[in-house]
């Protein structure tokens, strides 16, 4: 539900890479019209979960995020970003 509200859309999903589209909706942006850090982290976490789910063993498998870090030199204003496992 959280990613549906962000409008996260998968463009490419391979064994080692996922590329997603994140629209520049007003609630995804800060007051300075750049992507909010929480939106970027949420999208990155969901993207990595997609890759790990492809490699999950049969049976019960759960993924938990225990730590995340976002480092940016400049505000991110593009509507695409990539996450790789």
């Amino acid at each position: 539900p959280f990613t549906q509200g962000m409008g996260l859309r998968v463009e490419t999903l391979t064994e080692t890479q996922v590329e997603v589209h994140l629209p520049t909706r007003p609630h995804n942006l800060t007051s300075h019209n750049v992507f909010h850090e929480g939106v970027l982290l949420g999208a990155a976490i969901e993207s990595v979960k997609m890759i790990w789910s492809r490699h999950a063993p049969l049976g019960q498998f759960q993924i938990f995020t225990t730590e995340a870090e976002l480092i940016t030199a400049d505000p991110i204003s593009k509507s695409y970003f990539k996450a790789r496992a």
Side-chain angles (χ1 to χ4, degrees):
F2 179 69
T3 55
Q4 289 175 348
M6 292 189 312
L8 187 67
R9 186 176 71 234
V10 178
E11 297 288 328
T12 305
L13 181 59
T14 68
E15 295 298 314
T16 59
Q17 179 179 338
V18 60
E19 184 174 329
V20 297
H21 172 80
L22 187 61
T24 53
R25 294 180 176 176
H27 60 269
N28 287 344
L29 306 175
T30 67
S31 58
H32 301 290
N33 284 334
V34 296
F35 281 113
H36 190 279
E37 294 88 351
V39 170
L40 292 173
L41 282 172
I45 289 167
E46 291 301 315
S47 298
V48 171
K49 283 182 180 181
M50 287 181 227
I51 292 175
W52 276 101
S53 294
R54 289 179 63 100
H55 300 283
L58 294 175
Q60 187 178 12
F61 182 74
Q62 295 181 346
I63 301 171
F64 298 99
T65 302
T66 58
E67 184 176 331
E69 181 177 2
L70 175 67
I71 300 171
T72 59
D74 297 316
I76 299 173
S77 58
K78 294 181 180 179
S79 62
Y80 281 90
F81 71 96
K82 295 180 182 179
R84 291 190 174 124

